[in-house]
């Protein structure tokens, strides 16, 4: 059986405007309101051609907020600093594994968990 690639993500937020601003500031993502059943649904192409698509779905309450994904970045420590400036929280400071992968875990302003990473240098 072959593995299934990740091809979409969704971020549930009771504060979709704030979540949209956060991800736009963090990663330069733009969003387009699609509407739909239950309210706000804002789609993004996220990383462009090499990235996957996704969306922010407006939810009814903070208890319904959800998300987890990892975004590949150039500099994990700098991304952590930008996350805090944009209203997020660094939960786990950057760590580099023996293989050279550097990663950290963050929370966006809605309380959703996300990760950022830089792969090991090619060599």
């Amino acid at each position: 059986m072959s593995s299934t690639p990740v091809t979409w993500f969704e971020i549930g937020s009771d504060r979709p405007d704030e979540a949209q601003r956060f991800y736009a500031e963090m990663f330069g993502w733009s969003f387009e309101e699609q509407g739909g059943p239950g309210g706000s649904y804002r789609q993004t192409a996220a990383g462009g051609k090499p990235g996957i698509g996704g969306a922010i779905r407006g939810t009814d309450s903070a208890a319904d907020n959800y998300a987890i994904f990892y975004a590949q970045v150039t500099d994990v420590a700098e991304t952590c600093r930008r996350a805090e400036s944009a209203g997020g929280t660094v939960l786990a400071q950057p760590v580099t594994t023996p293989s050279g992968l550097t990663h950290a875990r963050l929370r966006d302003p809605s309380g959703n968990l996300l990760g950022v990473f830089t792969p090991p240098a090619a060599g």
Side-chain angles (χ1 to χ4, degrees), residues 39-115:
S40 176
Y41 198 75
R42 304 155 190 222
Q43 290 185 337
T44 179
K49 190 170 183 157
I52 62 172
I56 294 173
R57 177 184 300 279
T59 63
D60 293 335
S61 72
D64 296 332
N65 290 345
Y66 60 91
I68 181 112
F69 59 91
Y70 279 83
Q72 184 174 333
V73 299
T74 303
D75 184 331
V76 172
E78 175 60 24
T79 300
C80 288
R81 285 189 287 278
R82 288 183 27 241
E84 290 177 327
S85 293
T89 305
V90 177
L91 297 176
Q93 293 293 326
V95 172
T96 302
T97 66
S99 70
L101 180 129
T102 302
H103 62 92
R105 283 193 154 189
L106 313 169
R107 280 208 191 276
D108 72 15
S110 295
N112 292 310
L113 181 64
L114 69 138

